[in-house]
Amino acid sequence: MNVCKFVLVCVLCLLLGQASLVAQPGNTYLFRLPGPGVGTAVEVYSTTAAQVAQIGSFAGPTGQFRIIPKPDGTRFYILAANSINPITQVQTGALSPDGRYLLVATNRLYVIDVSGQNENLINPGGIGIIGTAIDITFNLEGTRAFILSRGATVTYVTAINLGPNPTV
């Protein structure tokens, strides 16, 4: 499976590599997502202490709800609720503090290594999550992730050890 294509369609790996949209380390970017039923155009702004200026726009995926930046600002990921195999109905996602792992939660947790030039889906089958994922956070070292999810009457926290073989 071409994981980069998978991430581009499902989570949309936004490299800002289009002619007018080139991410620069140290710059600050602001993204304006469209509201529900308003289309898919994402507006991109560059910000400085003195001004905010639109630098371009692009068509994002349907159902987009969150943009996650890499710590160095060179790559951005858009989470969208649309369904693309094997990841369907994205509920939430987060990037590890060191920018190495992108975690995407549905009824399963998918770990994507984004440390290199290409994305690498580490666990194609995902890790089972109890309930509906609400949020993801990490320990300070970025070696463990904690997934907060809710059931019918209870809230769950699932701890995941990160690395080449993520485990519960």
Side-chain angles (χ1 to χ4, degrees):
M1 165 186 230
N2 182 336
V3 177
C4 189
K5 182 176 180 183
F6 153 76
V7 174
L8 280 167
V9 175
C10 178
V11 183
L12 187 63
C13 165
L14 172 63
L15 298 175
L16 292 182
Q18 300 158 342
S20 62
L21 300 174
V22 179
Q24 300 295 324
N27 284 5
T28 302
Y29 297 96
L30 175 69
F31 296 86
R32 182 175 172 266
L33 298 176
V38 183
T40 62
V42 177
E43 296 174 358
V44 183
Y45 297 83
S46 179
T47 63
T48 65
Q51 70 176 7
V52 175
Q54 185 173 353
I55 59 171
S57 64
F58 61 91
T62 303
Q64 55 196 295
F65 62 89
R66 182 184 289 170
I67 293 182
I68 302 173
K70 285 204 64 156
D72 63 4
T74 58
R75 199 176 282 187
F76 301 85
Y77 300 92
I78 297 178
L79 296 183
N82 60 336
S83 299
I84 303 294
N85 285 330
I87 297 181
T88 61
Q89 300 173 351
V90 173
Q91 297 164 351
T92 190
L95 193 67
S96 62
D98 61 2
R100 179 173 183 144
Y101 298 109
L102 175 65
L103 278 63
V104 178
T106 66
N107 62 339
R108 305 192 69 72
L109 180 75
Y110 295 91
V111 180
I112 304 165
D113 185 338
V114 295
S115 62
Q117 290 296 322
N118 297 311
E119 289 77 13
N120 179 27
L121 181 59
I122 293 176
N123 60 339
I127 296 170
I129 297 175
I130 299 171
T132 302
I134 300 169
D135 204 1
I136 300 171
T137 192
F138 299 86
N139 66 350
L140 293 175
E141 297 80 20
T143 57
R144 297 188 83 197
F146 301 92
I147 295 79
L148 178 65
S149 58
R150 70 172 172 260
T153 59
V154 222
T155 301
Y156 303 94
V157 175
T158 304
I160 305 292
N161 294 315
L162 297 174
N165 299 306
T167 57
V168 177

